[in-house]
């Protein structure tokens, strides 16, 4: 395999962009393990009292990820996230203004491999979320498992991440003062296994839990499509029914997280590695779907609203696809 090395005279700004993205990839793939190891080593060292005090704090703070989290505007505005944004680059576009007195559920599509668009747009202020949607606070939902990891949980909550449990979503969208946005990568871990350049298949047909909670609490549904999300990484071929796919599905059912075998480029060369390709990501926030609060929604209510949601998502995609380089004959596939 021929290795294409990066030139030596790369501008400093691009080096900083690569460093910011490398930090993000490390945080996604390895920071939790490092934090857990640090806690164990601390507990076994002469500083065990610090670990004990933190364990006490963890016990007292256990429910925070399901009660709106603990965001830090200071961290969300780190200049590092601006370098992260410019690496791809990443842009956030709104189609209409959103009333800050209401609560919203943003359905983010597609999941992609590492959900770069959702993180950059809703866990940082690099793309100007607070300027585009004044009065709204975004919360990206993440698997509850990660909020049990010492130190790591505090770091990710600073960006606005919260638990993806039912109680967490209900807490956000039931606040009477409004102003909360719960961002859900609807396809979840299984969709990540199909994330590769050109993929337009969304796992959404049987994803109706967020629809039910929107009805129960009267939260407005907003489809969000991120053009370019699936272009960031290649993935080893794993067609449905293949031994690799069966193994990945098995691991996902056991651990709750997907294990896509992805690759892209490296830090100093462009031929292999885990750094995403420099491909633009354009995240479009669609129009809100009015939802009438139904404390005990029937299956017919859920099914009807789900169809409306899929229709609005399709219209959002079709309206913008040509702007971002897709052909007329390219359409979304729902499974």
């Amino acid at each position: 395999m021929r290795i294409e090395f990066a030139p030596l005279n790369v501008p400093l700004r691009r080096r900083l962009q690569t460093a910011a993205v490398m930090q993000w990839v490390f945080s996604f793939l390895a920071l939790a393990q490092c934090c857990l190891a640090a806690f164990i080593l601390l507990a076994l060292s002469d500083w065990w009292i610090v670990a004990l005090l933190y364990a006490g704090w963890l016990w007292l703070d256990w429910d925070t990820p399901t009660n709106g989290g603990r965001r830090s505007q200071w961290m969300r505005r780190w200049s590092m996230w601006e370098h992260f944004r410019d690496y791809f680059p990443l842009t956030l576009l709104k189609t209409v203004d959103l009333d800050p007195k209401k609560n919203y559920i943003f359905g983010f599509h597609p999941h992609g491999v590492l959900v770069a668009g959702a993180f950059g747009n809703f866990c940082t202020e690099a793309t100007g979320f607070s300027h585009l949607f004044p009065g709204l606070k975004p919360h990206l939902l993440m698997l509850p498992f990660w909020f049990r990891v010492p130190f790591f949980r505090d770091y990710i909550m600073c960006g606005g991440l919260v638990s993806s449990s039912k109680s967490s979503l209900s807490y956000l969208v039931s606040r009477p003062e409004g102003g909360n946005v719960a961002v859900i990568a609807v396809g979840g871990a299984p969709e990540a296994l199909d994330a590769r350049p050109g993929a337009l298949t969304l796992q959404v047909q049987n994803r109706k839990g967020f629809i039910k909670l929107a009805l129960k609490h009267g939260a407005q549904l907003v489809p969000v499509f991120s053009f370019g999300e699936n272009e960031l990484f290649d993935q080893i071929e794993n067609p449905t029914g293949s031994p690799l796919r069966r193994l990945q599905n098995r691991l996902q059912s056991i651990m709750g997280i997907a294990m896509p075998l992805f690759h892209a480029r490296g830090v100093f060369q462009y031929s292999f590695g885990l750094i995403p390709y420099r491909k633009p990501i354009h995240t479009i926030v669609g129009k809100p779907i009015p939802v009438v609060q139904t404390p005990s929604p029937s299956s017919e209510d859920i099914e009807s609203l789900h169809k409306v949601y899929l229709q609005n998502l399709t219209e959002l995609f079709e309206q913008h696809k040509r702007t971002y380089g897709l052909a007329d004959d390219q359409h979304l596939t729902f499974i």
Side-chain angles (χ1 to χ4, degrees), residues 135-153:
L136 294 179
K137 294 187 296 183
H139 305 265
L140 179 60
L141 275 66
M142 192 175 185
L143 289 173
F145 167 81
W146 298 112
F147 295 94
R148 300 168 188 165
V149 181
F151 306 129
F152 182 72
R153 66 189 297 275

Side-chain angles (χ1 to χ4, degrees), residues 124-186:
T124 81
E125 289 295 334
T127 55
F129 181 91
S130 294
H131 175 73
L132 290 172
F133 302 102
L136 294 179
K137 294 187 296 183
H139 305 265
L140 179 60
L141 275 66
M142 192 175 185
L143 289 173
F145 167 81
W146 298 112
F147 295 94
R148 300 168 188 165
V149 181
F151 306 129
F152 182 72
R153 66 189 297 275
D154 302 289
Y155 173 71
I156 59 178
M157 276 197 291
C158 286
L161 285 104
V162 295
S163 170
S164 60
S165 66
K166 179 181 177 180
S167 60
S168 176
L169 177 56
S170 295
Y171 178 90
L172 291 174
V173 298
S174 64
R175 296 300 90 191
E177 67 274 12
N180 283 316
V181 176
V183 184
I184 305 174
V186 177

Side-chain angles (χ1 to χ4, degrees), residues 27-237:
S27 297
F28 201 104
L29 299 180
L31 183 58
Q33 296 87 327
C34 291
C35 287
L36 180 59
F39 178 78
I40 293 173
L41 290 174
L42 191 63
L44 298 176
S45 71
D46 293 338
W47 293 86
W48 61 269
I49 189 64
V50 176
L52 182 61
L53 290 172
Y54 181 84
W57 158 255
L58 187 62
W59 181 75
L60 294 173
D61 196 55
W62 192 254
D63 293 332
T64 298
T66 60
N67 292 331
R70 184 173 51 249
R71 66 203 298 112
S72 166
Q73 282 299 105
W74 171 73
M75 178 175 162
R76 287 171 57 86
R77 296 181 185 277
W78 280 355
S79 60
M80 175 177 66
W81 305 131
E82 296 176 4
H83 296 301
F84 175 87
R85 173 200 65 199
D86 295 338
Y87 175 90
F88 300 101
L90 174 64
T91 56
L92 178 66
L93 298 96
K94 71 174 181 179
T95 54
V96 296
D97 292 329
L98 298 181
D99 185 354
K101 296 181 181 179
K102 297 179 179 179
N103 294 312
Y104 300 88
I105 296 178
F106 282 15
F108 182 87
H109 310 270
H111 183 284
V113 173
L114 299 183
V115 211
F119 176 84
N121 288 307
F122 305 120
C123 296
T124 81
E125 289 295 334
T127 55
F129 181 91
S130 294
H131 175 73
L132 290 172
F133 302 102
L136 294 179
K137 294 187 296 183
H139 305 265
L140 179 60
L141 275 66
M142 192 175 185
L143 289 173
F145 167 81
W146 298 112
F147 295 94
R148 300 168 188 165
V149 181
F151 306 129
F152 182 72
R153 66 189 297 275
D154 302 289
Y155 173 71
I156 59 178
M157 276 197 291
C158 286
L161 285 104
V162 295
S163 170
S164 60
S165 66
K166 179 181 177 180
S167 60
S168 176
L169 177 56
S170 295
Y171 178 90
L172 291 174
V173 298
S174 64
R175 296 300 90 191
E177 67 274 12
N180 283 316
V181 176
V183 184
I184 305 174
V186 177
E191 194 173 277
L193 299 178
D194 290 317
R196 51 176 47 86
L200 292 173
T201 299
L202 304 180
Q203 297 207 21
V204 68
Q205 286 283 25
N206 297 318
R207 305 281 175 152
K208 301 175 183 177
F210 72 106
I211 300 290
K212 182 178 181 179
L213 286 177
L215 283 165
K216 185 176 181 180
H217 298 289
Q220 307 292 286
L221 283 170
V222 181
V224 178
F225 195 86
S226 194
F227 290 91
E229 189 73 38
N230 281 339
E231 311 301 314
L232 304 183
F233 297 96
D234 288 310
Q235 192 170 162
I236 293 177
E237 289 297 324

Side-chain angles (χ1 to χ4, degrees), residues 286-309:
K287 299 177 182 179
I289 301 170
V291 177
V292 177
Q293 186 171 7
T294 309
S296 299
S298 65
S299 57
E300 290 78 13
D301 294 329
I302 297 171
E303 191 65 33
S304 176
L305 183 56
H306 188 253
K307 289 181 179 178
V308 173
Y309 177 82

